[in-house]
Amino acid sequence: MSGPITALTMPKWGLVMSEGKIVSWKKRQGESFAAGEEILEIETTKITNVMEMPQAGHLRRILAAEGATLPVGALLAVIAPENASDTEIDAFVAGFAAPEAAAESASVAAPAPQMVEVGGRRLSYLELGEGEGTPLLFLHGFGADLNSWMFVQPALAVARRTIALDLPGHGGSAKELGKGDAAEMAEAALGALEALGVAHVHLAGHSLGGGVAAFLACRRPEKVKSLSLLASAGLGPEINAAFTEGFIRASRRREAQEALSLLVHDPALLSRRMVEDVLRYKRLDGVERALEQVAEAWFGGGRQRLDLRDEIAALNLPVQVIWGREDRIIPLAHAEALQGKLPVHILEGAGHLPHMERAEATAGLLEAFASV
Amino acid sequence: MALKSIRQAINEALFQEMRRDPRVVVIGEDVAGGAATAGERDCAGGVFGTTKGLIAEFGEGRVIDTPITESAIMGAAAGAAVAGLRPVAELMFCDFLGVCFDQIFNQAAKFRYMFGGKAKTPLVIRTTIGAGRGSAAQHSQSLYHIFTSIPGLKCVVPSNAYDAKGLLISAIRDDDPVVFCEHKLMYDLQTEVPDEPYRIPFGEASVVREGDDVTIVALSRMVHYSLEAALALAREGIECEIIDPRTTSPLDEETILESLERTGRLLVVDEATPRCGLAVDIAALAADKAFAALKAPPKRVTAPFTPVPFAPSLEKLYIPSPERIAAAVREVVGYRR
C-alpha cells in the first residue's frame, strides 16, 4: 500500500447548492499541489468560486470534464500518491459510492429563513448550527441579504449557533425605514438578538453591515466578543458612488449586471441567477425608496458619513479586518491604514465580496476568530 | 417563499392593487361569481376562479358583473379609464375579441395619441388564450399577435406565476391600455411568488435557460414545452438557450439579438397560427438585424394554419409538442450550407 487514496468530490457551498459546474481545472492530471493551493473553479447558481485544497497532495486522476454539471458529492478527481498503481486507482473509482441519496436528503432538510418581530418591525433571519460557544451574527452589505453568507455560514455553523440577519429594508425584512442609518440598523440587530435569547455574539459584518457591526460594538461593547469587518464601511470617507447610485437606479438586467460587476474582481464570475435575484428584490414595492434612504443616510453626497476608525482602534475586544485586494467599492487603503493597529488580512483574487469570491479563506479567518 | 399557482398569483395581484388604489375596479362577465343569483355571490370568482373573493371585500361598486356583451364591457371600461378609474376588464376568451374590437383598437388604443397626450387610458384587459381543453374552434385560439400589431396597445403573455403577478401589477399601474393573456391550461402551474407586491418592467425578456448552440424564443405554455425539449437535447450534447419575451409589445429585441450573436441559430415556438404572427415577426427580426451572425435559416414551430380542432386526437396534433420542438432544433443545428 502506498499511502491513502482519497476522493475529491463536488463541494456543497451554501444550503441551496445541489449541483455545480466544472469551469476549469487549475491543476492538470498528474500534478502536485500544496496546502491552500487552488485546484479548480466551480460555478454555482450565484457565483464561480475556487476550490482550495486543505492539505498538499497529488492530483492522480481527473474524472470530471470541464463544462460538466455534477451533483454535490459527485466524484471529481482522485487524490493519491504518485506511486499508487493504476489498478488501485481503478478499484477506488469503481468502489466509490454514488451520492444521490445524500444529496437528496440534504436538499429536503435545507432550513429556511424565519421571521422575528422587533419593535413592530418584521425581520428575517437564517439560523444554522448549535453549540456551547458564543453565537455568531452575520450582517450583510448595502442592497444584499442574508444569502450573501451562503458560502461561509454553513462552515461556521458546524461548531456554534449562527444567525444571518436581513437588515431593515433588505431581503425578507420589512422595507419601511426611519432614517436607515447605523443607529437604526444596530438597534434592529440588537433587538433581534434579544428576541432570539442571545446575550453575547461574535460579529461579522460586510460593507454597510460592517459599519452596523462596528457601530454596535462601539456602543454596546459588553455584548460583543469579537468583531470581524469585511470590506467594511465606517473606516474612511471614500466609497464608489457609481456603484451605490447605479445599484439603486438599475431596474433592468443590463443595468443591474453593470452595477454588480463592480463588486467582484472578475465580472465573469457573476451568474445570471445572482443578477436575477437582485432584480427580484429591487422590484418589490418599497425597496427603491428604502435603498435611497439608506444610501442618503450612509453615503449622502458620495462620501461615507460614518467614521468609527478611532473608536474601533480603542475597542477592548478582538477586531480583525478582511479585504479583497481588488475591491472597487471601498478602497483597500482603508484596510491598509489600520495595519499595525489591528490584524488586517488582504485576500488576493477578491474584489468587494471576499466572503463569496474567497469563501474558504474567509471562513477560515472567521472560524479562527470565533473560536477564541 | 411560498409556492403559488398562476391563478393565485393573479388573484393576489388584483387584491393588492385594489387595496392600494381605490380607482382600480374589476368588470366583466361573472367576475363576482354569480352575483345575479340570490345567496350565491362569490361562488366561483369567474369561470377560472381568478377573481374569487373580490366581491366580498370590495363590493358591487368595484367588482362589476355585466350582461353577456363584450362590446359594453370594453366600451364602459375604456370610458371609465379616460374618466379617471383604472379598470381591469375581463374578456373571458380572446376568441370573443370580434364583438368588441372597435372599443379596444379604435377607441382605447387611440385616445392618448388623438388627444395629444392629454388623455390617459389606464385600462387592463385580462383575457385567456390556448388550446388543449377540448373547447373547440371558438374558445381555443391564441390571438395575442392581433393585439401586438396595434400601436397604442401593450401585450403581456406570462409563462409562470412569478411573472404573472409582477406583470399584472405593472399593467394595472401603467397609463396605457394593456392586454394580459392568460393560458387556460396553466392556471395551476406553481412557482415561488413573494407575498409583497412587485413590478416586472415591460419589454424585458427572461432568459429561462442558458445555452450556446441555439436560441429558442417561446411564449406562455411553449416556454415549458421548449424546456422539456431542451432537457432531452442536452443529453445529445445540444445546449439550447430559451428566451421568454414575456411581453410581445413592447418586445425585447436586444436580448434576442444578443443571444443570436452567440448561438447563430434561431427557433421560434408559437402556439398561434403561422401567418402574420410572433414567429414571423421574430424570424424577420433575426433576418433583418442578425443576418451576419446566422449559421442557419431561422426556423418556426407553430400551430398549423387551420381552426383549432375539437377532436382530441387532432387537437393534440395541432399544438406544438416538445418532440416537434426537439426535431426542429436538430434540423437547425444540423444545417449545412
Side-chain angles (χ1 to χ4, degrees):
Chain A
M1 193 57 205
S2 43
I5 299 178
T6 55
L8 179 70
T9 58
M10 179 64 74
K12 185 170 176 65
W13 285 328
L15 297 168
V16 292
M17 179 168 168
S18 60
E19 59 179 29
K21 181 176 172 186
I22 309 293
V23 177
S24 70
W25 286 95
K26 302 194 141 213
K27 289 283 170 190
R28 273 184 301 227
Q29 182 161 300
E31 284 189 318
S32 296
F33 50 84
E37 209 171 352
E38 296 171 357
I39 186 165
L40 80 157
E41 282 188 326
I42 297 173
E43 182 185 321
T44 70
T45 51
K46 282 269 183 196
I47 196 168
T48 299
N49 217 318
V50 286
M51 187 168 187
E52 292 168 19
M53 300 310 289
Q55 52 205 25
H58 186 75
L59 186 56
R60 183 57 197 271
R61 185 175 296 175
I62 290 177
L63 293 137
E66 293 182 356
T69 298
L70 296 161
V72 168
L75 186 60
L76 306 182
V78 179
I79 312 292
E82 285 180 79
N83 58 359
S85 72
D86 281 343
T87 321
E88 284 178 273
I89 306 291
D90 291 342
F92 181 85
V93 172
F96 185 81
E100 274 171 53
E104 221 163 83
S105 65
S107 66
V108 169
Q114 304 172 63
M115 287 290 178
V116 60
E117 187 145 332
V118 177
R121 177 183 353 235
R122 279 182 321 120
L123 294 173
S124 155
Y125 68 98
L126 178 67
E127 180 163 343
L128 288 182
E130 54 192 350
E132 290 297 301
T134 306
L136 174 60
L137 176 66
F138 291 102
L139 299 174
H140 62 76
F142 175 70
D145 62 29
L146 56 81
N147 288 314
S148 61
W149 301 104
M150 62 190 285
F151 298 125
V152 297
Q153 193 184 2
L156 273 297
V158 170
R160 64 189 65 74
R161 185 177 181 193
T162 66
I163 297 158
L165 186 69
D166 277 339
L167 290 168
H170 290 76
S173 292
K175 306 300 180 294
E176 295 76 21
L177 296 173
K179 284 188 193 152
D181 58 5
E184 182 181 351
M185 303 255 182
E187 196 180 321
L190 273 172
L193 289 177
E194 197 174 322
L196 297 173
V198 179
H200 305 98
V201 279
H202 293 288
L203 273 177
H206 170 244
S207 198
L208 178 144
V212 177
F215 187 92
L216 200 162
C218 291
R219 295 293 175 275
R220 302 291 300 276
E222 76 282 2
K223 289 266 175 201
V224 181
K225 289 274 192 203
S226 78
L227 179 61
S228 296
L229 300 173
L230 291 80
S232 181
L235 303 178
E238 294 83 10
I239 184 152
N240 185 350
F243 169 73
T244 49
E245 286 162 17
F247 186 88
I248 292 171
R249 267 200 322 273
S251 68
R252 294 181 181 258
R253 194 167 50 238
R254 199 174 324 280
E255 300 159 341
Q257 176 112 31
E258 212 168 280
L260 292 175
S261 68
L262 293 170
L263 288 173
V264 288
H265 77 285
D266 178 1
L269 300 182
L270 283 177
S271 73
R272 198 180 277 275
R273 182 72 217 181
M274 183 163 174
V275 178
E276 175 66 19
D277 284 348
V278 165
L279 283 174
R280 285 187 177 213
Y281 159 67
K282 291 205 67 228
R283 287 174 189 144
L284 295 171
D285 273 8
V287 165
E288 192 173 339
R289 180 172 155 69
L291 289 175
E292 280 170 356
Q293 281 178 283
V294 172
E296 178 56 32
W298 286 76
F299 327 118
R303 309 279 282 178
Q304 293 193 45
R305 293 179 191 263
L306 184 72
D307 186 347
L308 295 171
R309 275 176 288 186
D310 296 340
E311 285 185 64
I312 290 167
L315 274 175
N316 190 23
L317 55 94
V319 182
Q320 67 174 340
V321 174
I322 301 167
W323 226 275
R325 170 77 67 193
E326 294 167 64
D327 196 320
R328 287 182 285 166
I329 308 296
I330 303 180
L332 178 66
H334 291 195
E336 287 171 338
L338 293 167
Q339 273 168 336
K341 296 178 194 161
L342 301 170
V344 173
H345 305 278
I346 296 169
L347 301 181
E348 307 297 330
H352 190 59
L353 305 177
H355 52 318
M356 299 188 91
E357 295 168 90
R358 291 292 309 280
E360 292 189 23
T362 302
L365 292 169
L366 294 177
E367 180 66 44
F369 235 53
S371 308
V372 288
Chain B
M1 207 179 296
L3 282 176
K4 291 169 197 165
S5 67
I6 292 184
R7 184 192 328 278
Q8 287 170 304
I10 288 169
N11 187 254
E12 192 169 280
L14 290 171
F15 262 105
Q16 289 177 343
E17 287 306 287
M18 290 182 79
R19 283 178 191 146
R20 192 186 62 85
D21 186 346
R23 296 171 300 174
V24 179
V25 300
V26 167
I27 178 168
E29 291 158 13
D30 229 9
V31 290
T37 317
E40 285 293 328
R41 292 211 325 185
D42 199 30
C43 52
V47 282
F48 295 105
T50 47
T51 55
K52 189 167 178 58
L54 296 178
I55 182 80
E57 179 164 339
F58 303 104
E60 282 173 3
R62 293 180 65 195
V63 184
I64 305 162
D65 260 354
T66 66
I68 302 177
T69 161
E70 285 77 15
S71 48
I73 299 168
M74 294 306 150
V82 247
L85 292 180
R86 306 187 80 85
V88 180
E90 205 175 286
L91 177 61
M92 196 183 283
F93 295 88
C94 76
D95 315 66
F96 304 161
L97 171 66
V99 288
C100 55
F101 204 21
D102 178 72
Q103 288 77 2
I104 297 172
F105 95 98
N106 222 20
Q107 306 301 330
K110 301 291 193 284
F111 289 151
R112 184 159 76 118
Y113 183 79
M114 292 188 71
F115 295 128
K118 289 180 181 166
K120 291 180 197 162
T121 316
L123 164 66
V124 180
I125 298 167
R126 288 185 44 243
T127 191
T128 62
I129 57 168
R133 283 174 92 235
S135 301
Q138 295 167 320
H139 299 77
S140 301
Q141 298 169 87
S142 296
L143 299 176
Y144 39 77
H145 54 286
I146 296 182
F147 302 114
T148 306
S149 71
I150 308 288
L153 290 182
K154 295 174 181 174
C155 186
V156 181
V157 191
S159 69
N160 63 69
Y162 174 81
D163 288 352
K165 179 174 170 184
L167 290 166
L168 182 54
I169 289 176
S170 286
I172 293 171
R173 296 185 197 175
D174 199 294
D175 282 338
D176 290 313
V178 179
V179 182
F180 190 90
C181 302
E182 302 160 17
H183 199 292
K184 294 186 279 285
L185 274 89
M186 290 169 62
Y187 277 119
D188 291 319
L189 195 69
Q190 293 187 328
T191 39
E192 285 195 340
V193 178
D195 294 334
E196 297 151 282
Y198 58 94
R199 279 176 299 163
I200 297 176
F202 291 170
E204 171 134 312
S206 156
V207 180
V208 178
R209 185 184 197 279
E210 290 175 280
D212 286 331
D213 295 323
V214 58
T215 302
I216 302 180
V217 181
L219 290 160
S220 191
R221 197 178 183 206
M222 293 302 115
V223 173
H224 303 277
Y225 279 12
S226 298
L227 263 174
E228 215 177 306
L231 288 179
L233 290 161
R235 287 194 283 274
E236 301 170 21
I238 299 172
E239 293 297 338
C240 305
E241 182 141 303
I242 301 177
I243 295 175
D244 172 4
R246 299 197 283 209
T247 61
T248 57
S249 183
L251 178 70
D252 180 357
E253 298 187 355
E254 214 173 325
T255 298
I256 298 170
L257 291 171
E258 262 178 20
S259 175
L260 280 179
E261 288 298 326
R262 210 158 13 81
T263 65
R265 301 182 182 97
L266 173 68
L267 177 72
V268 193
V269 187
D270 193 358
E271 194 185 321
T273 43
R275 299 294 315 280
C276 303
L278 260 295
V280 175
D281 201 57
I282 291 165
L285 171 74
D288 185 10
K289 295 188 181 165
F291 191 73
L294 291 179
K295 299 171 188 160
K299 182 132 191 89
R300 297 171 290 146
V301 172
T302 68
F305 190 59
T306 71
V308 181
F310 173 65
S313 53
L314 291 178
E315 188 183 33
K316 191 156 178 275
L317 281 175
Y318 178 92
I319 303 166
S321 64
E323 294 72 28
R324 268 177 67 199
I325 295 167
V329 167
R330 288 188 200 101
E331 200 179 311
V332 174
V333 171
Y335 176 83
R336 299 287 175 269
R337 276 173 216 278

